[in-house]
Amino acid sequence: MKMLINVAETVVADALRGMAAAHPELTVDVENRVIVRRDAPVAGQVGLVSGGGSGHEPLHGGFVGPGMLSAACPGEVFTSPVPDQMVRAAAAVDSGAGVLFIVKNYTGDVLNFDMAAELAEDEGIQVAKVLVNDDVAVTDSLYTAGRRGTGATLFVEKIAGAAAQEGQSLERVEAVARQVNESSRSFGVALSACTTPAKGSPTFDLPSGELELGVGIHGEPGRERRAMMTSREIADFSVNAILEDLSPRNPVLVLVNGMGATPLLELYGFNAEVQRVLTERGVAVARTLVGNYVTSLDMAGASVTLCQVDEELLRLWDAPVRTAGLRWGI
């Protein structure tokens, strides 16, 4: 496989050095693998810390900045960061108002963030945790007990980040984050497998002419494989799978997310079909975001995430944000 890398062993460190050079508004500790807002800690603000394996960019490091995360901890590719990274990040962003850990539901992430929370509290840092588990495709997977955390992570980080930016309390920011997670559901589809730098070949076998319905962001198996479907058929299947589990009474935020190798031309066409299904099902759309935000290296495919919002959540979604991967209003 051809990759724009030096050697597999330095992929994450090389990317962090490049990020530091491109974004002087961030403090990027390459050795300790922590990305922090340069102005952190911000007086009176709750610190938001998230992280996970690399390979899902811009998640999470690309979402560090005003209106979103205070810090992110990148692990090796598809591998959880370690507690020391998380404690270091928490200490860097704690202003005395407490720190919220936003954790995708993967076993390694959950265990390490739990341990980090205990260590941080031993150092006098007040910590709360929110688990993101929005994927409706399967209940358990190779990496997960319960539902996987996927596209809703962006909604949680953005909306909770806006609440923190306003100076809301740790208790309130945590409650907002939980509300967003509970109001969100996702479903993903793979058209091809991804390739990790260490392996150098596809991580799973997906024959030509087939697709994986309900794939995970590490290539975990979904609900079933079928012969290739049209964009219209994939949208019908994906949105209906979400609406079997979520019956929104309020308008929804829509994320049509690329897995890393799907062109925007295709993603926007897919969004047209997603919007058609929502209209047919009587679901009002408040805002739509299309692009590559929660990726899986070079996987071709897409995911759909819906989040039911009330006026307050929508206000926080619309609030200004300035990060490498998401930016508006500033």
Side-chain angles (χ1 to χ4, degrees):
M1 299 294 293
K2 295 180 180 178
M3 293 183 175
L4 194 62
I5 65 173
N6 293 317
V7 294
E9 292 76 13
T10 66
V11 165
V12 176
D14 292 344
L16 290 174
R17 285 200 300 273
M19 188 173 198
H23 297 284
E25 71 276 14
L26 301 175
T27 298
V28 181
D29 185 338
V30 177
E31 181 179 357
N32 293 299
R33 306 288 176 87
V34 178
I35 303 164
V36 183
R37 285 177 56 168
R38 187 168 290 279
D39 61 352
V42 181
Q45 283 190 19
V46 170
L48 264 63
V49 175
S50 192
S54 297
H56 305 302
E57 290 75 18
L59 190 80
H60 295 273
F63 297 146
V64 175
M68 213 160 176
L69 293 178
S70 308
C73 308
E76 291 296 329
V77 173
F78 291 178
T79 303
S80 172
V82 297
D84 284 352
Q85 291 172 261
M86 302 160 186
V87 174
R88 190 180 297 271
V93 304
D94 180 35
S95 69
V99 174
L100 178 67
F101 284 167
I102 299 172
V103 188
K104 300 191 305 303
N105 188 32
Y106 297 98
T107 301
D109 290 3
V110 172
L111 293 175
N112 286 340
F113 270 104
D114 282 349
M115 186 180 301
E118 294 178 6
L119 294 171
E121 287 170 348
D122 289 343
E123 296 185 8
I125 301 171
Q126 184 182 5
V127 176
K129 302 187 299 290
V130 169
L131 192 67
V132 182
N133 56 352
D134 55 303
D135 185 8
V136 303
V138 294
T139 300
D140 299 302
S141 72
L142 299 176
Y143 297 84
T144 310
R147 289 182 168 180
R148 303 174 291 209
T150 59
T153 313
L154 182 150
F155 290 149
V156 172
E157 291 178 356
K158 168 63 185 76
I159 293 174
Q165 187 75 25
E166 292 181 350
Q168 296 190 30
S169 69
L170 178 59
E171 181 181 23
R172 178 57 188 155
V173 174
E174 178 188 4
V176 166
R178 291 188 186 282
Q179 181 184 353
V180 173
N181 178 64
E182 291 165 1
S183 301
S184 300
R185 302 289 188 278
S186 296
F187 192 90
V189 178
L191 309 183
S192 73
C194 58
T195 301
T196 62
K199 190 170 188 289
S201 59
T203 54
F204 62 95
D205 178 39
L206 186 58
S208 176
E210 293 186 6
L211 78 169
E212 181 90 26
L213 292 166
V215 73
I217 59 173
H218 307 96
E220 309 98 312
R223 291 187 178 183
E224 61 178 290
R225 289 188 178 181
R226 289 189 182 181
M228 186 60 195
M229 301 158 65
T230 66
S231 176
R232 182 183 184 91
E233 292 168 337
I234 295 171
D236 283 330
F237 193 100
S238 301
V239 176
N240 285 326
I242 291 172
L243 294 180
E244 286 174 4
D245 202 86
L246 179 73
S247 299
R249 298 177 302 278
N250 295 336
V252 297
L253 304 177
V254 179
L255 171 62
V256 171
N257 172 69
M259 295 293 198
T262 303
L264 278 171
L265 178 71
E266 296 177 30
L267 290 177
Y268 277 116
F270 183 52
N271 179 55
E273 297 298 342
V274 168
Q275 302 287 332
R276 172 190 57 79
V277 181
L278 291 172
T279 298
E280 291 173 355
R281 294 292 300 270
V283 178
V285 174
R287 304 286 186 272
T288 300
L289 186 64
V290 178
N292 291 287
Y293 294 100
V294 183
T295 62
S296 184
L297 293 169
D298 60 342
M299 181 186 288
S303 63
V304 179
T305 304
L306 304 181
C307 176
Q308 180 178 212
V309 291
D310 55 22
E311 290 184 4
E312 176 64 4
L313 293 187
L314 185 58
R315 183 187 70 80
L316 292 170
W317 173 256
D318 286 340
V321 59
R322 187 172 74 247
T323 70
L326 198 68
R327 178 177 305 227
W328 58 68
I330 296 180

